[in-house]
Amino acid sequence: MWPLYAAGFTTAFGAHGIAANLGGASEDAVTSLLVLGGLLALYDGAEVLLKPVFGTVADRVGARPVLLGGLVAFAAASALYAAVGSPGWLWAARLGQGAAASAFSPAASALVARLSPVAGHGRAFGSYGFYKSVGYTLGPLLGGVLVWAGGLRLLFGVLAVVGAAVAVWALVAVPVVPPLPRARQTVLDLARRLADPAFLVPTGALAGATAALSVGVGFLPVSGAAAGLGTVATGAAVSVLAGCAAVVQPWAGRALDAGRIGVRGGLVGGLLVAAGGLGCATVPGPVGVLVAAALIGVGTGLITPLGFAALASATPRERLGQTMGAAELGRELGDAGGPLVVAGVAAALTLTYGYGVLAVLLAVGPVVGLVRRRW
């Protein structure tokens, strides 16, 4: 399992480590805010388009080859810019990284489910989510140190080494997991399965959690600055968010396996806690920022392992890659949609109203689910 956890760390570290430091790159690489936005969107756009595709491929040929191929491609794309260093190749390298992560991320999730017993899915996905959170937390910090020490090319070079090392580790340690026989599936069958509440509810909760997390990381520093906090203090607030998410995920997974919490109650509670965090963000002052960061982190940390464990248990094992790829697509849409909602409302009114609108959207799902009791 450890190489799979390392793969989760790699995709998170690569995504946030570069994204957080592109704006500080040399002028010949990022020449304007438009270029910066394009480079940021390139990685996420590749993931949105390709994760469901590679998830399906993993079911067809086996998740292990897709995992290994994605890690090797990630290392190669990173090495490309580290070796050449021209602005044009930065675009190619970032696109290559996003496409490669689209392959090995859902493959790793599928292998976590295949290689762990059903009764241990909560613990396994809790650990997987913990190491991804560590990557999200350390990425901006270590990436900044590497860019300061040797520029953007050094950061890409380190990512190439990390990707190659994890690929070798997975080749040695991850056992061969042959694809399972699959019944023929029509487009209508796929649509029915993806429209089932057993898929929609966990995926919707994961999308909501990712939306709250993305808004917390992106907008809480703005609120902190308005409250008079310096950059160090606002950075600490974001670290509180990521730290709470990292700590809660293994606990939530173990509690699920032990029967101390259920999937339904955990997802509902996580969304309400995250919504409460966004509500606290509307309170002026540093206390509101810190409490909001903690609650958003706890809510997302509670939802993530429970959501993936629910998807794994409700999915035929021969379709795990397809389901994980589709669920990752839902998370990516939440990652993009949350900030867009908050920014759109903030542009028309204020940031306080933006937080409030997203909090209401997150709370509506659990309330409707409790009233209808369909899942």
Side-chain angles (χ1 to χ4, degrees), residues 272-299:
L272 292 178
V273 169
L278 290 167
C280 290
T282 65
V283 178
V287 174
V289 172
L290 291 174
V291 174
L295 291 179
I296 292 172
V298 170

Side-chain angles (χ1 to χ4, degrees), residues 12-35:
F13 180 76
H16 279 204
I18 294 178
N21 292 285
L22 277 174
S26 58
E27 293 183 359
D28 61 339
V30 180
T31 55
S32 68
L33 290 176
L34 182 61
V35 171

Side-chain angles (χ1 to χ4, degrees), residues 48-355:
V48 167
L49 292 175
L50 295 177
K51 275 185 174 179
V53 175
F54 282 117
T56 302
V57 172
D59 289 333
R60 183 168 299 172
V61 304
R64 185 174 182 267
V66 177
L67 172 75
L68 296 175
L71 287 167
V72 171
F74 184 86
S78 302
L80 178 66
Y81 183 72
V84 180
S86 65
W89 287 111
L90 177 60
W91 290 83
R94 196 62 177 155
L95 177 61
Q97 285 182 329
S102 302
F104 73 78
S105 182
S109 299
L111 283 168
V112 168
R114 287 286 302 274
L115 295 175
S116 59
V118 175
H121 276 168
R123 185 185 185 94
F125 280 107
S127 298
Y128 181 71
F130 170 79
Y131 287 102
K132 286 194 77 169
S133 294
V134 171
Y136 287 132
T137 304
L138 294 182
L141 175 62
L142 294 183
V145 172
L146 290 170
V147 171
W148 170 80
L152 197 60
R153 292 175 67 180
L154 177 60
L155 175 56
F156 273 83
V158 169
L159 288 173
V161 172
V162 170
V166 175
V168 172
W169 191 7
L171 178 66
V172 173
V174 176
V176 176
V177 182
L180 297 172
R182 300 180 304 152
R184 183 175 177 272
Q185 176 181 255
T186 66
V187 174
L188 185 58
D189 293 332
L190 175 61
R192 285 198 189 103
R193 188 158 62 81
L194 297 185
D196 191 286
F199 174 82
L200 285 180
V201 172
T203 302
L206 289 167
T210 308
L213 180 66
S214 182
V215 166
V217 171
F219 289 94
L220 284 181
V222 178
S223 298
L229 299 177
T231 55
V232 174
T234 55
V238 174
S239 297
V240 166
L241 189 159
C244 287
V247 169
V248 168
Q249 289 191 61
W251 172 87
R254 290 193 297 268
L256 175 65
D257 292 341
R260 294 195 299 271
I261 59 175
V263 171
R264 180 189 177 92
L267 295 181
V268 168
L271 286 171
L272 292 178
V273 169
L278 290 167
C280 290
T282 65
V283 178
V287 174
V289 172
L290 291 174
V291 174
L295 291 179
I296 292 172
V298 170
T300 56
L302 185 59
I303 290 168
T304 302
L306 302 188
F308 278 114
L311 289 168
S313 64
T315 301
R317 295 179 74 80
E318 68 272 16
R319 302 287 183 187
L320 278 170
Q322 186 179 69
T323 295
M324 294 303 172
E328 290 281 359
L329 170 60
R331 294 186 76 194
E332 294 296 335
L333 293 176
D335 192 22
L340 286 176
V341 168
V342 172
V345 175
L349 301 170
T350 65
L351 183 56
T352 298
Y353 284 99
Y355 288 137

